[in-house]
Amino acid sequence: MLIQPKKMVPPDGGWGWIAVIGVAIVNFCTRSIEPSFGLLFGDLLKELGVGTTGAALIMSTLDALINFSGLLVGPLIRAFSYRKVSLVGACLCGLGLVLTFPARSMAHILVTYSIINGVGVGLTASATFVALNHYFVKRRGQALGFSLAGTAFGMLLMPQAVRLLLEAYSFRGAILVLGGVALHALIGSALLQPAEWHFVPESKNLEEGNRQKEMETIKEVDDEEAESPESAQTQKLIGVNTIPDFSKCLGDYRPKEASFPRNFSTMSFLTRSKPYSDILNYSSLSSMDFTGSSLQLHLQSTEKPGPKLHITEGVRLRRNLSYPAVELNSHLKLMQDYQHEPLRFEPRKKETLWSKIVNFMDLDLLKDPIYLNLVFGLSIFYVAEQNFKMVTPFFFDSIGYNKTNTALFLSVQAITDILARLILPPICDRVNVRKRTLFMVGIFLVGISRSVLAEQTDYTMILVWLFVCGFVRGAALINFTITISEYSTLDKLPAAFGLHMVGKGLFVVALGPVLGYIRDATRSYPICLHSQTFLIMLCCLAWSIEYIIVWFKTRTKDASSDNTST
């Protein structure tokens, strides 16, 4: 009796929660400085004579490098590991901030802060996201939400820290200290051990259910064979020495070991009168992997027993229905209808360089219209989000509030952001609603609340609406990246996330400076904030149109199937 090894699955906890802490540390050290960009670089940019357009160019370049580095993430993780990629990214992030301290020109800031730091942040963000998706399945939403709380916690502390550092050391000393903080992301990256080290056996109940289903399938197929009138006659005609060698016949069509099931119930061959002894040899099945299988060959012949073997017009392979995704008939379809033609095998066509690149980087995702629409919506929301973080400090300064007030405003928004990220993920995991739909509702509320905030000047009302903006922002962002993992399979996840980051980078380069130009041309921060809301609503509109189209197609398909059945 062959004992089948237990299937190992992600732990959905255990060391996974340590990995969540590590990702939270990485996010805190590398991403929390971004909302304080205007507060940290404001005086330096004024000295350099750079307006909002220049600041938008710096942030747009940073975001572009963060996202374009995603194109490298899939191949790098495949070649090395997500922990090594995260460690390298943490080093680049700290190095970029440290090298920014002597900056006296906009070009210097672009090279060190935007490019070097941007590549580092992009590598850590992608690697940590892929790591968590390997550790969690059912609790993936909670894990991602808790890890993003590190960014929100940094947004709570960083404005106050930046203010104190600027008062004590000015810009140059402050950026050096923040560079040291970024290097602490190495600690968090070191906690991202390979998830395979902590895999656990599949739950007992699930194993028993699979085993019961498999036994029922075997019984069902055996019953079918027993009922067949051919079986009783043909089973008598098979001998030990009449087992053909299929290896020469199958050739390149032989299924790979990973995709061929190691347990199937019966294999049936019905024969006709045309001989194929020149094609099939009488040997063994050693070249095919039938370990642990139950193999029955049914042959029917009208000729005298001899060395010739007769093949049916249609060779039929029964498979165990426990493997519904494996279509074995396709591997033997080449043996059909060969009573008129001899077997011919064409050599495999060599892959071109471009096809190798497409397969290696999974660029076939770009042929999926739903994935492209998903990336479009996430990208334009990302542009609006990044521009809001950059413009907000300047907006508060324009209506007469000092750095102390600005730091307080940003901290209040971060507090409610943290609350949303800690409270809502367990609820969202239990709600039977797509994460993408929850995200769309969240960003709709984000756009409305920010447009209302843009019209406020009173201190109390600003605090109230920042409280609302922070909460709905956290509610939306806990489902931001998980919309990708919800749609993509785990093996294509690095490529799907990397291409998604590239899409964000393209939109940041294209639309980021436009929002800055709108502010400089109109000399109005409220109009700039309303422009961000317009982009958010474009995302909601594009996804709503897709939902409607899919709904109509599903309805039409169901109606046609009902008509066919009647």
Side-chain angles (χ1 to χ4, degrees):
M1 178 178 179
L2 185 65
I3 300 177
Q4 191 172 9
K6 291 184 178 181
K7 181 180 179 182
M8 305 300 288
V9 296
D12 251 334
W15 188 266
W17 296 119
I18 304 298
V20 169
I21 295 175
V23 175
I25 294 173
V26 172
N27 289 334
F28 174 84
C29 296
T30 60
R31 304 303 301 263
S32 57
I33 190 178
E34 295 174 22
S36 302
F37 171 81
L39 191 62
L40 178 62
F41 285 86
D43 293 339
L44 178 62
L45 295 178
K46 288 181 181 177
E47 292 178 9
L48 299 177
V50 177
T52 309
T53 304
L57 179 61
I58 293 173
M59 287 299 294
S60 298
T61 306
L62 171 69
D63 291 333
L65 267 297
I66 289 175
N67 293 296
F68 285 145
S69 62
L71 192 61
L72 306 174
V73 169
L76 286 177
I77 291 179
R78 192 177 301 174
F80 302 101
S81 67
Y82 43 75
R83 178 161 65 169
K84 292 178 181 178
V85 173
S86 183
L87 287 170
V88 172
C91 291
L92 291 176
C93 186
L95 181 64
L97 292 176
V98 169
L99 294 178
T100 306
F101 89 96
R104 298 187 182 277
S105 66
M106 184 174 169
H108 189 141
I109 298 174
L110 284 171
V111 172
T112 56
Y113 179 75
S114 299
I115 297 178
I116 298 178
N117 176 59
V119 172
V121 173
L123 292 178
T124 56
S126 302
T128 53
F129 173 74
V130 173
L132 289 185
N133 278 273
H134 279 77
Y135 272 101
F136 293 90
V137 179
K138 295 180 180 179
R139 298 179 179 177
R140 187 174 292 170
Q142 296 181 44
L144 292 174
F146 293 160
S147 66
L148 290 175
T151 305
F153 189 66
M155 292 168 56
L156 172 64
L157 298 181
M158 198 56 68
Q160 304 297 334
V162 168
R163 179 181 63 83
L164 295 174
L165 289 172
L166 289 174
E167 293 175 356
Y169 305 109
S170 74
F171 168 78
R172 308 195 186 281
I175 198 71
L176 280 175
V177 174
L178 294 174
V181 172
L183 288 174
H184 284 74
L186 292 170
I187 300 174
S189 300
L191 297 177
L192 303 178
Q193 297 180 354
E196 292 78 8
W197 293 3
H198 305 280
F199 274 15
V200 297
E202 194 173 21
S203 63
K204 185 177 180 181
N205 293 336
L206 185 56
E207 287 182 6
E208 291 179 354
N210 290 337
R211 190 180 299 109
Q212 183 178 1
K213 180 180 177 182
E214 182 176 342
M215 295 302 296
E216 290 176 355
T217 306
I218 295 175
K219 185 177 183 301
E220 177 185 349
V221 177
D222 290 342
D223 290 343
E224 291 179 3
E225 293 295 336
E227 293 174 1
S228 175
E230 305 168 353
S231 301
Q233 300 176 1
T234 57
Q235 286 179 354
K236 299 179 181 179
L237 300 177
I238 184 68
V240 176
N241 296 325
T242 58
I243 302 177
D245 183 2
F246 294 96
S247 59
K248 295 183 180 181
C249 157
L250 290 176
D252 290 341
Y253 295 90
R254 184 170 49 195
K256 296 181 180 179
E257 182 179 355
S259 61
F260 201 94
R262 303 180 65 88
N263 180 12
F264 57 90
S265 57
T266 55
M267 183 191 295
S268 299
F269 292 88
L270 305 179
T271 61
R272 290 186 61 184
S273 58
K274 186 155 183 178
Y276 277 88
S277 57
D278 57 333
I279 298 174
L280 301 179
N281 295 331
Y282 298 91
S283 59
S284 67
L285 294 177
S286 59
S287 59
M288 295 188 69
D289 189 4
F290 292 144
T291 306
S293 63
S294 174
L295 184 65
Q296 299 177 7
L297 295 178
H298 307 294
L299 303 177
Q300 180 179 358
S301 176
T302 57
E303 297 183 1
K304 297 180 180 180
K308 293 184 179 182
L309 177 68
H310 303 278
I311 304 297
T312 181
E313 181 181 2
V315 179
R316 183 164 53 90
L317 176 62
R318 293 187 180 274
R319 60 182 177 87
N320 192 333
L321 298 180
S322 301
Y323 302 89
V326 182
E327 186 63 43
L328 297 183
N329 287 348
S330 60
H331 296 300
L332 293 179
K333 190 173 181 180
L334 71 154
M335 299 176 66
Q336 295 182 358
D337 297 327
Y338 281 129
Q339 68 274 20
H340 303 297
E341 297 180 6
L343 276 174
R344 296 177 183 177
F345 297 98
E346 296 182 0
R348 289 182 177 178
K349 295 182 179 179
K350 293 185 178 180
E351 289 185 329
T352 62
L353 178 61
W354 174 246
S355 63
K356 291 180 179 179
I357 294 175
V358 169
N359 294 332
F360 183 69
M361 304 188 71
D362 291 321
L363 296 181
D364 55 324
L365 286 167
L366 299 179
K367 297 179 181 179
D368 187 347
I370 296 180
Y371 174 75
L372 292 177
N373 191 36
L374 176 62
V375 171
F376 169 77
L378 294 176
S379 299
I380 59 177
F381 168 76
Y382 183 81
V383 173
E385 175 64 24
Q386 294 300 98
N387 193 262
F388 178 80
K389 291 190 292 187
M390 182 200 70
V391 168
T392 304
F394 296 104
F395 167 64
F396 294 142
D397 181 69
S398 68
I399 56 180
Y401 292 100
N402 56 27
K403 292 181 180 179
T404 303
N405 299 133
T406 300
L408 176 63
F409 291 155
L410 296 179
S411 296
V412 168
Q413 180 181 232
I415 290 173
T416 56
D417 191 323
I418 293 173
L419 290 176
R421 297 181 193 228
L422 295 178
I423 296 173
L424 296 180
I427 299 174
C428 293
D429 283 346
R430 287 170 173 78
V431 174
N432 191 21
V433 181
R434 292 170 61 187
K435 297 295 190 294
R436 184 177 175 186
T437 303
L438 295 175
F439 174 75
M440 183 171 65
V441 174
I443 64 173
F444 181 83
L445 298 176
V446 166
I448 298 298
S449 60
R450 287 180 178 176
S451 287
V452 175
L453 174 66
E455 301 299 327
Q456 307 302 318
T457 56
D458 180 69
Y459 184 85
T460 303
M461 294 304 297
I462 288 177
L463 287 176
V464 169
W465 281 103
L466 281 173
F467 188 94
V468 176
C469 287
F471 191 85
V472 294
R473 178 182 184 272
L477 290 183
I478 58 175
N479 296 311
F480 180 77
T481 53
I482 203 172
T483 56
I484 296 292
S485 57
E486 180 185 52
Y487 183 74
S488 173
T489 58
L490 191 60
D491 59 330
K492 286 185 174 289
L493 183 59
F497 190 73
L499 293 174
H500 144 73
M501 292 186 66
V502 172
K504 291 193 302 183
L506 292 174
F507 276 83
V508 165
V509 171
L511 298 179
V514 173
L515 294 177
Y517 175 78
I518 291 174
R519 211 297 312 170
D520 289 341
T522 61
R523 298 187 179 277
S524 170
Y525 284 102
I527 292 179
C528 183
L529 295 176
H530 293 317
S531 301
Q532 300 165 13
T533 301
F534 174 75
L535 292 181
I536 292 175
M537 296 307 167
L538 276 182
C539 172
C540 296
L541 178 63
W543 288 3
S544 298
I545 293 174
E546 176 198 320
Y547 281 14
I548 293 173
I549 293 175
V550 171
W551 180 78
F552 270 111
K553 286 185 176 180
T554 304
R555 185 180 179 184
T556 303
K557 183 178 180 180
D558 293 341
S560 60
S561 62
D562 291 341
N563 293 335
T564 303
S565 62
T566 56

